Amino acid sequence: MEQAFWVQSPGEGALRPVTLREPEPGEVLVRTLFSGVSRGTETLVFRGGVPANQHDVMRAPFQEGEFPGPVKYGYLNVGVVERGPDDLEGKTVFCLYPHQTAYVVPASAVTPVPDAVPPGRAILAGTVETAVNAVWDAQPKLGDRIAVIGAGMVGCSVAKLLQGFPATRVQLIDVDPSRAGIADALGVDFSTPEAAKDGCDLVVHASASEAGLAKALELLAPEGTVVELSWYGDRRVSVPLGENFHSRRLTIRSSQVGTVARPDRDYAQRLGLALELLADPAFEALVSGECVFEDLPSVLPRLATNELSALCLRVMYQPQ
């Protein structure tokens, strides 16, 4: 009997038995190796913080149940195809599937993991895909002065990708000084908000805090742009549109992964690019906690209350 993790009600999770149906032609049966907990979004779901008017927008591709619960939610899953088309059978694949020991999905829903990417790192594909989309939205230019505010999974991934642009100055900013070690592993300069360099042409905001958004506007040079990547859930935030906002002709634009930010690319191409980028071992720094699948109901409450401070929690599954 297979098992899946469910949010029973806000703040309470449990494992439930699952009976798998036989895969039909054009489908695959995947045995999970690893899954990842996306700290920001999944702890929001776990706490019951998804606003009622966002229930449809926030649905994961293979979600079961409804917010606030019971709901089976998640989208960072890596496993091995046990049964399916000949070109996929035996391959390690990534899928936007919740935390479950095995599952059946259309073959089109899985993406092969490149040989150069370890399966345990491939769980970051969804996060790096979000970062790729943010960079496409941001449209950085040669020589830009850039800041990324919020050294969570997405912010760190964005900073890592932006660091590769020629002649740019990139700083990763966070209120937690301990995140300097992660920035160093990613090859990105780190700063606390108080010491951050201003005069930025571009700021990507990913801290999901009102103070972080205010700081993003404060750091901009005239004609600068803030790309707002945070998800606030059911919280309202104040935006300081007085002071220099109009006189400096500043811009705030949103970015989210639900729409591909380039009309010449599709979802499969974007995810494929994210997986290719994960061949860089520096991304391993984003996985800062692990647990076995059976312990997820007791570990996720600790993550949601910040008792456990992992950026990405890697969930490990026992081989069958």
Side-chain angles (χ1 to χ4, degrees):
M1 180 72 70
E2 308 299 340
Q3 289 187 304
F5 175 77
W6 283 70
V7 177
Q8 298 283 77
S9 60
E12 180 187 1
L15 301 183
R16 289 187 178 186
V18 176
T19 301
L20 292 186
R21 60 178 175 80
E22 289 294 311
E24 298 178 359
E27 293 186 321
V28 291
L29 188 159
V30 179
R31 173 72 51 189
T32 303
L33 298 173
F34 302 95
S35 63
V37 175
S38 176
R39 182 187 179 91
T41 303
E42 289 198 56
T43 56
L44 183 76
V45 170
F46 187 75
R47 295 193 301 265
V50 179
N53 64 2
Q54 294 295 302
H55 283 187
D56 289 338
V57 175
M58 282 285 290
R59 285 194 69 86
F62 294 100
Q63 173 181 323
E64 293 183 32
E66 302 295 334
F67 302 118
V71 61
K72 183 175 76 174
Y73 192 85
Y75 47 84
L76 303 174
N77 191 299
V78 175
V80 173
V81 176
E82 289 192 339
R83 293 170 61 185
D86 291 342
D87 62 332
L88 286 174
E89 197 162 309
K91 288 190 178 295
T92 301
V93 295
F94 175 84
C95 185
L96 297 168
Y97 204 87
H99 311 282
Q100 185 166 307
T101 54
Y103 51 91
V104 174
V105 294
S108 58
V110 302
T111 302
V113 175
D115 292 341
V117 180
R121 191 188 307 154
I123 59 170
L124 297 169
T127 301
V128 175
E129 183 184 12
T130 302
V132 167
N133 212 58
V135 172
W136 285 346
D137 272 328
Q139 300 179 3
K141 299 179 180 65
L142 183 71
D144 270 359
R145 298 156 296 182
I146 303 173
V148 179
I149 298 179
M153 286 176 65
V154 172
C156 285
S157 298
V158 171
K160 171 63 177 171
L161 298 185
L162 289 170
Q163 182 65 27
F165 279 79
T168 54
R169 182 195 79 189
V170 180
Q171 55 182 332
L172 179 60
I173 301 167
D174 199 274
V175 295
D176 183 357
S178 70
R179 296 290 167 90
I182 296 171
D184 184 62
L186 295 171
V188 180
D189 289 339
F190 178 83
S191 176
T192 58
E194 297 76 19
K197 298 173 183 176
D198 58 9
C200 294
D201 305 290
L202 171 66
V203 178
V204 178
H205 179 234
S207 80
S209 71
E210 191 173 290
L213 180 54
K215 189 66 179 181
L217 290 168
E218 179 187 323
L219 293 179
L220 285 178
E223 305 283 347
T225 298
V226 169
V227 174
E228 178 55 275
L229 194 53
S230 300
W231 171 247
Y232 296 95
D234 57 358
R235 290 180 292 129
R236 292 182 176 272
V237 297
S238 297
V239 184
L241 300 183
E243 300 177 350
N244 295 313
F245 183 75
H246 287 87
S247 62
R248 289 187 181 177
R249 296 173 56 83
L250 305 182
T251 298
I252 303 174
R253 66 165 303 173
S254 67
S255 178
Q256 56 87 37
V257 75
T259 301
V260 179
R262 286 181 56 169
D264 59 338
R265 298 289 192 274
D266 59 26
Y267 288 99
Q269 289 171 320
R270 188 179 64 182
L271 180 56
L273 174 59
L275 281 163
E276 289 178 18
L277 290 166
L278 283 168
D280 187 338
F283 282 104
E284 193 71 30
L286 301 185
V287 180
S288 52
E290 291 183 329
C291 76
V292 296
F293 171 70
E294 290 76 11
D295 289 344
L296 196 53
S298 61
V299 171
L300 200 50
R302 296 172 57 209
L303 197 67
T305 58
N306 293 318
E307 181 185 342
L308 185 64
S309 60
L311 278 181
C312 176
L313 178 69
R314 180 158 52 204
V315 182
M316 300 173 290
Y317 291 70
Q318 303 296 328
Q320 299 294 310

